[in-house]
Amino acid sequence: MFNSFTDLVGSLIIISSVFCIACVTNNGSSAIALGIVLCFLGEGISSALSKLYLQFNGIKWNPFNMLNITNQLGNPSYYSITHLSNTQLLFGNFFYTIIFILLGSILFSRRRI
């Protein structure tokens, strides 16, 4: 049950980021393509950022790092990649989901239809 919940949380951040991207771009297909890239390359981008900028403590809070929540719950050794606890990843996912939804709704309300 808990794994299903974390899968839902991981999916929410992907859906909200695609919504935000769709509100920024004028073309729906480009939003879908960027969303797919985010899904497949987000975790790799996060680990590369963590390795390059170890001296910056705030880099671990990037939205790409939040995509590692399901991996870290299944394999605790992911902590060395994310540098965040499971609880921190969970709250970070909720935070970024809310930010992306609010930003997307603001952009959508200003958009001409």
Side-chain angles (χ1 to χ4, degrees):
M1 192 72 168
F2 186 70
N3 287 339
S4 297
F5 176 72
T6 56
D7 286 339
L8 175 69
V9 171
S11 298
L12 281 176
I13 194 167
I14 292 170
I15 292 167
S16 63
S17 62
V18 169
F19 170 66
C20 188
I21 292 169
C23 291
V24 170
T25 62
N26 291 332
N27 191 353
S29 60
S30 62
I32 293 170
L34 286 172
I36 290 171
V37 168
L38 174 74
C39 289
F40 290 112
L41 297 179
E43 296 168 9
I45 292 170
S46 172
S47 63
L49 284 173
S50 297
K51 289 177 185 176
L52 288 175
Y53 301 106
L54 286 175
Q55 67 271 19
F56 298 119
N57 195 23
I59 199 73
K60 64 184 177 185
W61 291 100
N62 69 68
F64 297 119
N65 202 14
M66 301 302 141
L67 298 173
N68 286 315
I69 188 167
T70 55
N71 293 334
Q72 183 166 326
L73 286 171
N75 186 2
S77 66
Y78 265 81
Y79 179 81
S80 62
I81 296 171
T82 63
H83 303 289
L84 295 171
S85 69
N86 293 339
T87 308
Q88 289 173 327
L89 279 173
L90 188 66
F91 285 116
N93 270 297
F94 283 130
F95 174 75
Y96 276 114
T97 299
I98 291 169
I99 293 293
F100 290 147
I101 288 173
L102 289 175
L103 184 62
S105 64
I106 290 169
L107 292 170
F108 184 75
S109 67
R110 294 183 181 180
R111 191 176 195 178
R112 290 185 185 175
I113 298 176

